[in-house]
Amino acid sequence: MIDRRTLLLGMGGMLLTGGSALAAPRINPKYAPTRVRFAGYAPGTVVVDTRSHFLYYVTAPGVAIRYGVGVGRQGLSLKGRAVVGRKAEWPWWRPTDNMIKRSPRKYARYAGGMPGGPRNPLGARALYLYRDGRDTMYRIHGTNDPSSIGRSVSNGCIRMLNDHVIALYNRVPVGAPVVVR
């Protein structure tokens, strides 16, 4: 639940930014959503290219919308195929046990979880990646740290600007195939 102060601050930000509750941060223009030629995958497929820091959502044969993303540090990212197992708006978050073990000073205080909202690391939306009916613990999600777009800095998840993940969330159904390469 978002508290009154957060709601009022968001509404004030909306007025200052001309109507968007999530003001578009400045990023390298190459990471802005762009319609591109993209072959080899069926429409409806999400493809994440971790080396180039791009996510492609295939909209038609040979055509995709390309988004800039932040990805996991080396050794911490998902590779291969998955499906979108579920989706959430302003998702609740809890660091994984491995995150707490690797960085207890940073994450132990969140072991009980954190409600969704503008300060939550998962941002405005999350698409939960599953394999064989089981949660992989990897997500495609928003971020409250736009400087991470175009970088390999996360604990494995795929980060997008909040406006971008909202657009993807609205396009991608549960069950959609995801390829992380």
Side-chain angles (χ1 to χ4, degrees):
M1 187 93 201
I2 295 177
D3 62 26
R4 183 171 186 248
R5 180 175 186 268
T6 302
L7 176 65
L8 292 173
L9 287 172
M11 290 173 68
M14 188 167 66
L15 292 172
L16 292 172
T17 62
S20 175
L22 301 170
R26 292 186 185 177
I27 60 165
N28 185 323
K30 77 178 185 179
Y31 297 122
T34 307
R35 189 168 301 279
V36 297
R37 292 178 189 255
F38 191 74
Y41 296 92
T45 303
V46 175
V47 180
V48 180
D49 185 337
T50 59
R51 284 184 173 217
S52 67
H53 299 97
F54 288 118
L55 178 149
Y56 299 86
Y57 177 62
V58 182
T59 58
V63 179
I65 301 171
R66 183 185 71 195
Y67 299 92
V69 296
V71 298
R73 294 186 304 270
Q74 187 163 354
L76 295 178
S77 61
L78 177 73
K79 293 288 187 190
R81 295 186 173 273
V83 298
V84 175
R86 74 180 187 93
K87 303 182 342 178
E89 296 183 14
W90 294 108
W92 179 86
W93 173 75
R94 180 195 180 279
T96 66
D97 291 341
N98 285 336
M99 289 169 68
I100 294 169
K101 191 182 301 180
R102 274 193 308 272
S103 302
R105 285 184 181 203
K106 185 174 183 178
Y107 295 116
R109 66 180 165 205
Y110 301 113
M114 180 181 203
R119 292 188 184 106
N120 184 304
L122 293 186
R125 304 288 183 272
L127 289 78
Y128 295 72
L129 305 183
Y130 281 59
R131 280 189 180 149
D132 301 319
R134 295 179 58 193
D135 188 352
T136 63
M137 304 305 286
Y138 289 96
R139 320 278 184 245
I140 298 170
H141 63 79
T143 182
N144 54 21
D145 180 11
S147 70
S148 66
I149 303 303
R151 300 175 58 207
S152 301
V153 295
S154 79
N155 278 290
C157 291
I158 296 119
R159 297 177 177 195
M160 302 177 73
L161 293 179
N162 279 320
D163 285 345
H164 299 176
V165 79
I166 289 169
L168 185 70
Y169 178 97
N170 290 335
R171 289 182 172 105
V172 176
V174 168
V178 178
V179 178
V180 182
R181 57 183 200 191

